[in-house]
Amino acid sequence: MGKTEETLKNTIEKAKKGNQIAFSTLLDTFWNDVYGFQLIRTKNENDAEDITIQTFSRAFDKIDSYDASYEFKTWLITISKNLHVDLIRKRRRNVLESTESGNHDAIKKVLDDTPSAEDQLITEQNLATLLQHIKELKPHYQKVINLRYFNELSYADIALQLNEPVNNVKVKLLRAKKLLAEVIKSKA
């Protein structure tokens, strides 16, 4: 087993124990693979991004069911493909019901008290400059950052306000922080 495979295996094991940094590492490592896969399938950036967020949310919820005899990337792509099929079915049926009922019992806390590098960058920035950087993000990322850091809402409150599962909010916020950190670094 190569060093990269061993590192990935260790990261997955840490994620199974609820380590937020491990989740973040997996998200960073595989985001482009899943997003690129969905972009080709959907030919729509918003759908691709939404399905990718849902993929990581579902994967992080079900990380204990991951079978190490399969590649992690393959497992994520399979989840992603199934979510896309579900989306197509929903659109075909034109169902206008809420999909959020019943998800509250499945919510798992995977928080780590240690601020991430992105959290530290966000905290250290001048507020006016930070607001300019936030405005460069897509509107749904702006909203989740504003709700979390400026309105100081909990994940559960943000989930209620956005009518999304808590884990989707966590993944979206994680992605928003990464993108914001990239914007800040590019301007530094």
Side-chain angles (χ1 to χ4, degrees):
M1 185 179 293
K3 184 171 173 62
T4 304
E5 287 179 49
E6 189 65 34
T7 302
L8 177 60
K9 183 179 175 188
N10 290 337
T11 303
I12 292 167
E13 287 306 311
K14 288 178 184 176
K16 285 183 175 183
K17 294 175 184 171
N19 182 304
Q20 185 67 28
I21 294 169
F23 284 122
S24 178
T25 301
L26 292 171
L27 181 80
D28 284 347
T29 303
F30 295 102
W31 176 271
N32 289 338
D33 293 321
V34 176
Y35 178 76
F37 173 77
Q38 280 304 327
L39 194 56
I40 291 167
R41 286 177 67 95
T42 63
K43 296 177 179 45
N44 178 305
E45 287 183 15
N46 291 328
D47 284 348
E49 195 166 86
D50 287 346
I51 293 169
T52 303
I53 289 169
Q54 290 173 25
T55 298
F56 282 98
S57 176
R58 175 93 36 98
F60 293 164
D61 275 349
K62 308 283 186 192
I63 191 90
D64 287 330
S65 70
Y66 169 67
D67 180 353
S69 64
Y70 299 99
E71 281 193 47
F72 191 75
K73 177 180 167 182
T74 303
W75 185 65
L76 286 172
I77 295 294
T78 302
I79 293 170
S80 180
K81 187 167 83 174
N82 291 338
L83 287 168
H84 183 235
V85 169
D86 290 347
L87 178 68
I88 291 170
R89 286 180 184 151
K90 284 179 186 177
R91 286 183 178 167
R92 282 189 186 143
R93 287 188 305 229
N94 199 17
V95 176
L96 297 176
E97 63 189 55
S98 172
T99 59
E100 302 308 313
S101 60
N103 283 342
H104 299 293
D105 295 339
I107 297 170
K108 293 181 183 175
K109 292 190 176 188
V110 289
L111 300 176
D112 186 350
D113 293 334
T114 309
S116 67
E118 294 82 11
D119 288 331
Q120 291 171 343
L121 274 173
I122 290 169
T123 304
E124 292 168 3
Q125 291 296 314
N126 174 296
L127 183 59
T129 305
L130 180 60
L131 290 172
Q132 284 301 111
H133 293 320
I134 290 171
K135 287 180 183 176
E136 293 182 35
L137 299 177
K138 290 184 178 181
H140 58 279
Y141 289 141
Q142 290 178 28
K143 186 168 190 172
V144 76
I145 283 182
N146 285 329
L147 291 173
R148 179 70 173 159
Y149 294 103
F150 295 102
N151 296 345
E152 297 181 354
L153 296 182
S154 67
Y155 290 118
D157 291 339
I158 296 170
L160 287 174
Q161 188 153 349
L162 297 178
N163 195 25
E164 290 186 22
V166 170
N167 284 324
N168 279 16
V169 169
K170 289 178 182 177
V171 172
K172 195 177 282 188
L173 185 61
L174 184 63
R175 183 70 178 149
K177 291 189 314 185
K178 299 273 184 217
L179 291 171
L180 182 57
E182 288 173 16
V183 169
I184 291 168
K185 287 176 187 173
S186 74
K187 305 286 182 178

